[in-house]
Amino acid sequence: MESYKERFALFLAETGALFFDRKLILKDGRPTPYFVNMAMFKTGRLALEMGSFFAGMLVTKGTVDRVDIILGPSYKGSAIALSTAIALWERHRMDLAFEYDRKEAKTHGEGSVSQSMFVNRSLFDGCRIFIVDDVATSMGTKFELLEKLEAEAHATGQSYHVIGIGIGLDREQTTAVYDHDGKVLLGQKGENAIQDFVARSGIPVFSVAGIREVVDYLYKEKTPVMIKGRRMPIDERTKSEFDAYIEMYGIS
């Protein structure tokens, strides 16, 4: 595994951003043996490190020269957009704008004139946008953000171009399957979430690392992670539960 991915895995473990526990439920209704909460990168040092992973990805992929604005969906994505912009300047001397969306339109102050759904008002006609977020599960948040951008472009008479999407951790799993009543069907695989998103949107998706390589690395290195509230190396039972989960819901 590349050195920057190893650093990313170690920081996920150090901060407790990656943790294992029982009875965890994803937003789509499925159970999961692990969760990733990148809000745990909550000091100046850790925030800069988090941004450096995304900045490094943008530079390595050769994408950064085609980007004007780093956009993060609220709430966690907003911190990632800010830290990525700071890391791009500090470590690569590239000064890009950052932006994030509102949950509700602002109606006072500057919002009484322009009811924009974007806080910094950095979007401009023809701007090239790179979206950043913590993880990819169903990609629902990304579709919602694209809809907001489309509505904003329509309201302002401008055009925006989303160059790509960068996520910290790819959960490498399929989408949930639901019955006619909207109840999630456990043990059934849906589509490849990211592949489906790319096919529907035409926007490429990049990730700092995938969950398989992160967990395998931490397991082999016996790096302590948070398991049921205790910091300890990944044991055989936890690894087996993770592998079984990936077998059931993971992409091929």
Side-chain angles (χ1 to χ4, degrees):
M1 190 164 69
E2 296 93 329
S3 60
Y4 77 91
K5 292 186 177 183
E6 293 178 355
R7 284 178 50 239
F8 181 59
L10 292 172
F11 270 91
L12 288 175
E14 175 192 333
T15 59
L18 169 65
F19 62 94
F20 297 82
D21 212 334
R22 299 291 174 84
K23 298 182 180 180
L24 295 172
I25 301 294
L26 294 174
K27 186 177 181 179
D28 61 24
R30 288 177 293 180
T32 175
Y34 77 94
F35 199 75
V36 177
N37 177 15
M38 289 181 65
M40 296 303 290
F41 286 75
K42 56 189 178 182
T43 69
R45 174 181 71 90
L46 293 174
L48 181 58
E49 285 294 340
M50 176 175 64
S52 74
F53 298 128
F54 285 84
M57 176 180 62
L58 277 163
V59 172
T60 300
K61 299 294 184 183
T63 305
V64 69
D65 291 330
R66 298 186 292 116
V67 176
D68 300 305
I69 300 168
I70 307 295
L71 170 62
S74 296
Y75 293 103
K76 293 178 184 177
S78 58
I80 297 172
L82 171 59
S83 63
T84 301
I86 292 173
L88 280 169
W89 171 249
E90 181 175 273
R91 304 192 178 186
H92 303 281
R93 280 299 179 260
M94 307 184 85
D95 195 17
L96 300 185
F98 70 93
E99 184 62 88
Y100 55 101
D101 63 320
R102 303 180 191 277
K103 293 296 184 181
E104 297 178 352
K106 185 177 181 180
T107 57
H108 62 279
E110 72 277 10
S112 59
V113 178
S114 172
Q115 296 184 10
S116 175
M117 290 299 292
F118 294 90
V119 177
N120 294 340
R121 301 177 68 183
S122 60
L123 303 177
F124 59 88
D125 192 27
C127 66
R128 301 164 300 175
I129 301 166
F130 191 86
I131 296 172
V132 293
D133 206 359
D134 53 354
V135 298
T137 304
S138 67
M139 299 297 287
T141 301
K142 286 68 172 174
F143 278 117
E144 291 172 6
L145 189 59
L146 293 180
E147 290 175 358
K148 282 186 179 180
L149 282 170
E150 184 178 352
E152 186 82 4
H154 178 74
T156 59
Q158 298 177 339
S159 64
Y160 309 136
H161 309 289
V162 178
I163 301 302
I165 293 180
I167 56 175
L169 188 74
D170 182 359
R171 287 185 63 99
E172 300 178 298
Q173 69 182 51
T174 56
T175 56
V177 178
Y178 301 93
D179 63 17
H180 294 297
D181 297 321
K183 183 178 180 181
V184 67
L185 298 175
L186 302 182
Q188 293 195 29
K189 286 189 178 184
E191 303 297 324
N192 181 322
I194 291 180
Q195 195 174 74
D196 178 63
F197 175 86
V198 174
R200 292 170 60 186
S201 69
I203 300 170
V205 177
F206 310 95
S207 65
V208 174
I211 188 59
R212 286 181 175 98
E213 58 188 343
V214 166
V215 171
D216 286 348
Y217 174 75
L218 296 174
Y219 173 69
K220 291 174 182 176
E221 294 297 314
K222 302 185 185 303
T223 303
V225 301
M226 293 300 294
I227 301 176
K228 300 175 189 173
R230 295 177 53 208
R231 188 172 292 280
M232 56 186 286
I234 299 174
D235 56 276
E236 294 295 335
R237 180 174 179 177
T238 300
K239 183 63 163 59
S240 294
E241 291 175 348
F242 171 80
D243 290 340
Y245 176 80
I246 292 295
E247 179 68 24
M248 179 176 293
Y249 293 117
I251 60 175
S252 302

